[in-house]
Amino acid sequence: QVQLVQSGAEVKKPGASVKVSCKASGYTFTNYFIHWVRQAPGQGPEWMGVINPSRGSTSYAEKFQGRVTMTRDTSTSTLYMEVSGLRPEDAAVYYCARGPTITSRPWDAGDYWGQGTLVTVSS
Amino acid sequence: IQMTQSPSSLSASVGDRVTITCRASQTLSTYLNWYQYKSGKAPKLLIYAASSLQSGVPSRFSGSGSGTDFTLTIRSLQPEDCATYYCQQSYTTHGWTFGQGTKVEI
């Protein structure tokens, strides 16, 4: 069965970086887009970007350009999302979500999601 | 694209019919999806392309609408349906946008 298993909770100081992992299993890793979404307390989900695991190509939300990096390791079927220059407002639960096949437009629905990674930013 | 959901919360009884609406600031055709969020669990896709039921989702969930106005209906509310529901547009090439959510309580 399709599974996306994310890394555990992180506590970081302002200005630091955090790298969240998402290990995929149960399907052909390079065949599906992966999106990253975050949800801050009391707010709706916020899309951060998408990666094509086959090519490694990415598209980021304008808000996160220059501060977020999405990568993948095809040997371990693992995706990574790194946020640098953390601010208190970056405190949120971060999710990875499987998008459509890479032969489709990347914007269709996310059908499987990770369990979320809580990132706390505090001095 | 701005997504506006209503109501922001609701309370209903087991067996009730529940309707959640989502309005987009511009036309989406049918590029509208619905998700169920429960605390500590992976979000779950319920409805995609406005009205298609995701595999494994109970048939009491249904979606309708096109253009700018969409509806998620739970035909007979069950205790396990307590959650927050979000609409999401997948129309633009600038990424997903979500509504602010509707919290459903029994």
Side-chain angles (χ1 to χ4, degrees):
Chain A
Q1 72 281 23
V2 174
Q3 281 193 303
L4 297 173
V5 179
Q6 298 184 223
S7 49
E10 302 265 11
V11 179
K12 296 291 183 180
K13 294 188 184 304
S17 297
V18 67
K19 193 170 188 177
V20 178
S21 69
C22 170
K23 184 171 176 59
S25 62
Y27 71 98
T28 302
F29 175 73
T30 51
N31 280 5
Y32 291 81
F33 291 104
I34 290 289
H35 293 258
W36 288 88
V37 172
R38 75 178 188 182
Q39 185 168 26
Q43 298 186 26
E46 180 177 34
W47 181 80
M48 301 180 69
V50 60
I51 183 169
N52 177 330
S54 178
R55 298 182 175 184
S57 54
T58 54
S59 178
Y60 302 128
E62 188 173 340
K63 173 178 180 177
F64 298 106
Q65 289 274 1
R67 211 162 65 89
V68 165
T69 305
M70 296 175 186
T71 56
R72 92 293 190 217
D73 182 342
T74 56
S75 68
T76 60
S77 299
T78 303
L79 297 305
Y80 300 94
M81 192 281 302
E82 183 172 22
V83 182
S84 61
L86 285 168
R87 309 158 184 163
E89 55 265 34
D90 291 319
V93 178
Y94 289 76
Y95 296 97
C96 57
R98 192 182 80 162
T101 63
I102 60 170
T103 56
S104 311
R105 59 194 294 275
W107 314 111
D108 289 340
D111 59 354
Y112 290 92
W113 292 61
Q115 82 278 16
T117 297
L118 176 65
V119 174
T120 301
V121 182
S122 174
S123 54
Chain B
I1 298 178
Q2 306 298 318
M3 308 298 295
T4 304
Q5 276 183 246
S6 61
S8 56
S9 66
L10 66 89
S11 182
S13 300
V14 172
D16 282 355
R17 181 185 184 94
V18 168
T19 299
I20 299 168
T21 63
C22 179
R23 175 164 289 177
S25 60
Q26 66 183 74
T27 184
L28 305 177
S29 182
T30 57
Y31 290 99
L32 189 285
N33 312 300
W34 290 96
Y35 297 88
Q36 179 190 68
Y37 273 57
K38 291 183 178 182
S39 181
K41 299 187 75 174
K44 182 179 182 180
L45 174 65
L46 302 175
I47 301 288
Y48 63 94
S51 61
S52 296
L53 188 69
Q54 174 68 1
S55 176
V57 174
S59 59
R60 63 180 180 273
F61 290 92
S62 64
S64 64
S66 65
T68 60
D69 294 310
F70 302 87
T71 300
L72 174 70
T73 299
I74 308 173
R75 178 168 33 87
S76 175
L77 190 68
Q78 299 301 304
E80 60 266 32
D81 300 335
C82 287
T84 301
Y85 294 84
Y86 292 94
C87 62
Q88 173 222 36
Q89 67 82 18
S90 52
Y91 180 79
T92 77
T93 59
H94 301 296
W96 296 340
T97 310
F98 294 81
Q100 286 302 302
T102 297
K103 186 174 183 179
V104 174
E105 297 175 317
I106 300 289

